[in-house]
Amino acid sequence: MAKANVTKKEKPKSLFKISRSILSKLDPSERDGAEDSLWMKSSGLCALCGQALSNNADLNVADHRIPESVSGAGGNVLSNLYLAHLSCNASRKDLPFEVARPIVEFRVFSEEKKSITFDNVIEKYVTKGRQPVSVDRDGGTIVLSFGSDQFASTVSRDVATGTEYFYAEVPFEYVSNDKEIQPRLVSYSHVRRLALDFVNRPIHEPSNCRLVMHGEKAGVLLQFDGQHKSTAQILLGRKTGSFKVYIDPNKAMLQELVVKIQQEIKKQPLTRSDTLAKLGDVISRLLDEYKDAKRTEQGFVAMQPKTERAAIKKLYQQELQRLVFFDGDNELAAFVKPGALGAPTTDRMVIDRMIAPLLCSELLGIDMDASGGRDTERENIIIILNQIVKNMLPPNWEKDPIQKQRTQTFFLGGAIGWWMNELLIPALRYVTMKLKDKEPLLLDALDAGVESKMVSIVDALCMWDVWSTTSVEGLAALRSNTVKNVVSVFSEYTHLRLIKEATS
């Protein structure tokens, strides 16, 4: 997407939205002309991904650089506001701006490239990448020279294989991708999870690479494991990474090691989907016995004894629901997990009435081992759940009487069944063009425009005044478990109305 040259142009009318809640909190001296000031500050570019803002005002938003919830910092002043694509801002979630920006930029880069290798990462993010390293060895000590910097380490020998190795802190400019041993692609979702983990836990176990000598004094460091980990660190601005370095190892031995790391230890898999890598023991054991060249959910269940197929199908579907709920990116789980204070509903209600209806309940005929599919479905569902959190569970929601009432009403048992099945899912089928009831709704990757429409639908649903109702009849219907009761009381609230309000 080309960058916009807008500094010398007037701001087009309604090219972005400042929410009324933000605008009303600005000092009167800043409120007038706020849009013009923000537009000039942005130069027409998304502050998160760096690409041109959309020509559609509904796809651009203004938000706080430092969240309002952070006391004593930022606040509701123009200097703390930025403009971004709606989809980029949704990807930020509650991350600090400086952490979110490189991660969001990488998401856009991944979507544009379709498939990312570690070579692509080095080319885009590492200045003067893939440099050779100078090597000096004196018996059991090895010294690596990275330009004018040196790193000395003690060489050890693996008892089982006789392979020599050492540990080193290596600048990423001197790391190359080992395509021969590890021809993997780099997954945005896995990089994001690791980056967030590095923010909270800076120290991880070392990645693996091999030192291949070219002559007596020069060599290259080829990384064959931990490319996602290195990518995450590079995005966070780290200049070096910790490595276990094998010295001219046997390549066949390393290839066996890679398989062991990926399949037995169950880190990010080479070809297996993220979903399969995390399934419970019972399903994993049964899948290990399913040896077809192309494994599908339909084939997996069909291979089971006839008397057990229904139970295995149910168990597999429960595993898919569990993986969504316990996904590290699912922000709703923290509010409803057992023991959570003031939980607006229960974890079982979220799994059964919110997650299960969004998952495709039919067995799929697509390759279970390929990326995408159920992985993509889970990511899309989490976008929806997190947008509900953003709207219905903002910071200190329990202390705001109005918000507390709206939140508690929204999460009533009958209310969830109504808005999920009668409003949200039909509206999502419209914007995703998945109009048949049994057609998988969220299995496909969404482009930025469709994802933004999906987010807008959730926003519009959460803004409805029905959640503020004090009607005895209305609250009784929303508490009931009969959707028909709710529809009869709130007949004016339909999925067509929701679509119209979200897309107008």
Side-chain angles (χ1 to χ4, degrees):
M1 189 185 298
K3 291 188 176 182
N5 181 13
V6 295
T7 54
K8 296 182 180 180
K9 297 181 181 179
E10 293 185 2
K11 178 183 73 65
K13 296 293 183 182
S14 302
L15 195 57
F16 64 91
K17 291 182 177 180
I18 301 181
S19 70
R20 272 180 269 178
S21 63
I22 291 178
L23 198 59
S24 65
K25 294 175 184 177
L26 288 175
D27 187 273
S29 64
E30 291 192 325
R31 199 175 301 154
D32 294 335
E35 287 193 355
D36 292 326
S37 297
L38 268 178
W39 178 257
M40 292 300 294
K41 185 168 77 169
S42 75
S43 296
L45 304 179
C46 172
L48 288 168
C49 75
Q51 303 289 324
L53 291 167
S54 173
N55 290 326
N56 183 344
D58 292 333
L59 301 184
N60 304 321
V61 293
D63 207 349
H64 298 89
R65 187 184 183 99
I66 301 175
E68 288 182 272
S69 57
V70 179
S71 60
N76 287 288
V77 292
L78 277 177
S79 60
N80 190 39
L81 298 181
Y82 66 86
L83 295 182
H85 297 119
L86 181 63
S87 58
C88 292
N89 205 50
S91 293
R92 178 190 175 183
K93 300 178 184 176
D94 58 352
L95 294 177
F97 183 86
E98 290 71 19
V99 174
R101 183 161 51 186
I103 294 175
V104 172
E105 183 187 59
F106 185 68
R107 175 183 66 82
V108 174
F109 177 57
S110 300
E111 290 173 352
E112 290 177 347
K113 291 285 290 184
K114 304 300 183 185
S115 59
I116 299 290
T117 67
F118 190 50
D119 280 315
N120 298 135
V121 173
I122 293 171
E123 289 162 5
K124 180 172 177 61
Y125 294 102
V126 181
T127 304
K128 298 180 180 179
R130 294 189 283 247
Q131 294 186 55
V133 61
S134 297
V135 182
D136 281 303
R137 174 120 184 228
D138 183 7
T141 300
I142 192 166
V143 178
L144 305 182
S145 296
F146 308 113
S148 59
D149 296 326
Q150 291 186 330
F151 186 95
S153 185
T154 300
V155 177
S156 301
R157 185 181 296 273
D158 181 77
V159 176
T161 65
T163 305
E164 292 184 315
Y165 66 90
F166 61 94
Y167 292 94
E169 191 71 15
V170 180
F172 288 116
E173 289 95 334
Y174 292 85
V175 177
S176 298
N177 186 30
D178 197 339
K179 294 179 287 188
E180 188 174 4
I181 301 298
Q182 177 68 290
R184 80 184 326 168
L185 295 177
V186 174
S187 161
Y188 158 72
S189 60
H190 192 48
V191 169
R192 178 189 171 90
R193 282 194 291 271
L194 283 169
L196 301 187
D197 202 45
F198 272 116
V199 171
N200 297 316
R201 291 186 289 274
I203 300 176
H204 279 220
E205 64 184 28
S207 299
N208 293 310
C209 68
R210 57 183 173 127
L211 171 62
V212 177
M213 297 299 297
H214 296 300
E216 294 184 359
K217 296 291 186 179
V220 291
L221 293 169
L222 300 174
Q223 182 171 356
F224 63 85
D225 175 63
Q227 291 93 330
H228 286 89
K229 196 182 300 181
S230 291
T231 300
Q233 293 177 92
I234 290 168
L235 292 181
L236 292 176
R238 298 184 181 180
K239 302 302 181 183
T240 65
S242 298
F243 289 88
K244 181 179 182 180
V245 183
Y246 294 85
I247 302 174
D248 273 332
N250 178 276
K251 287 189 289 187
M253 181 270 292
L254 283 190
Q255 286 164 342
E256 290 179 8
L257 175 63
V258 166
V259 172
K260 183 177 181 65
I261 289 171
Q262 303 305 330
Q263 303 300 339
E264 294 184 23
I265 303 177
K266 289 191 176 180
K267 293 187 180 181
Q268 181 71 4
L270 278 174
T271 57
R272 277 185 147 192
S273 72
D274 194 39
T275 298
L276 294 195
K278 296 178 180 178
L279 287 171
D281 291 341
V282 174
I283 294 295
S284 293
R285 176 175 55 78
L286 293 173
L287 275 169
D288 287 341
E289 299 170 0
Y290 180 30
K291 304 295 186 181
D292 286 5
K294 178 183 176 182
R295 303 193 302 174
T296 68
E297 294 176 351
Q298 295 169 351
F300 168 62
V301 172
M303 71 162 284
Q304 308 304 322
K306 193 171 183 179
T307 55
E308 298 178 14
R309 289 175 189 169
I312 296 299
K313 177 182 178 182
K314 182 178 180 181
L315 180 59
Y316 178 73
Q317 290 171 330
Q318 289 173 340
E319 282 289 289
L320 295 178
Q321 296 165 18
R322 179 186 66 82
L323 292 181
V324 175
F325 183 81
F326 288 104
D327 190 288
D329 288 336
N330 178 18
E331 298 169 8
L332 184 54
F335 289 91
V336 301
K337 65 183 180 181
L341 297 176
T345 185
T346 65
D347 54 346
R348 180 48 54 189
M349 190 72 74
V350 169
I351 292 171
D352 290 348
R353 300 202 179 184
M354 295 174 65
I355 293 173
L358 291 169
L359 280 163
C360 176
S361 60
E362 300 297 316
L363 296 173
L364 303 178
I366 61 177
D367 189 348
M368 297 174 76
D369 295 294
S371 60
R374 293 294 187 180
D375 295 347
T376 300
E377 182 181 47
R378 183 169 69 253
E379 291 170 1
N380 289 335
I381 292 173
I382 288 171
I383 291 172
I384 294 169
L385 299 180
N386 288 348
Q387 200 63 22
I388 289 172
V389 169
K390 182 176 181 180
N391 284 281
M392 283 300 180
L393 294 161
N396 301 317
W397 67 273
E398 289 182 283
K399 296 180 181 179
D400 182 338
I402 296 175
Q403 182 61 57
K404 184 176 181 179
Q405 178 195 345
R406 289 178 59 81
T407 299
Q408 291 176 333
T409 304
F410 183 84
F411 284 106
L412 289 173
I416 296 175
W418 173 56
W419 61 251
M420 175 60 72
N421 296 289
E422 297 295 316
L423 304 175
L424 182 60
I425 289 180
L428 293 178
R429 288 199 174 281
Y430 174 83
V431 300
T432 59
M433 300 302 291
K434 307 288 186 181
L435 301 179
K436 297 179 180 178
D437 287 343
K438 290 189 176 182
E439 188 175 8
L441 176 60
L442 297 170
L443 283 174
D444 298 328
L446 307 178
D447 63 37
V450 174
E451 182 178 323
S452 294
K453 290 177 182 177
M454 183 172 74
V455 169
S456 295
I457 282 175
V458 177
D459 289 344
L461 174 67
C462 293
M463 289 173 61
W464 272 359
D465 58 7
V466 67
W467 314 122
S468 299
T469 184
T470 57
S471 162
V472 174
E473 181 186 18
L475 289 172
L478 292 169
R479 288 191 183 98
S480 74
N481 288 319
T482 306
V483 172
K484 185 177 179 181
N485 291 345
V486 186
V487 172
S488 66
V489 176
F490 298 103
S491 58
E492 71 272 26
Y493 294 92
T494 66
H495 75 278
L496 295 177
R497 172 180 171 178
L498 180 60
I499 294 167
K500 183 178 179 180
E501 291 182 7
T503 58
S504 61

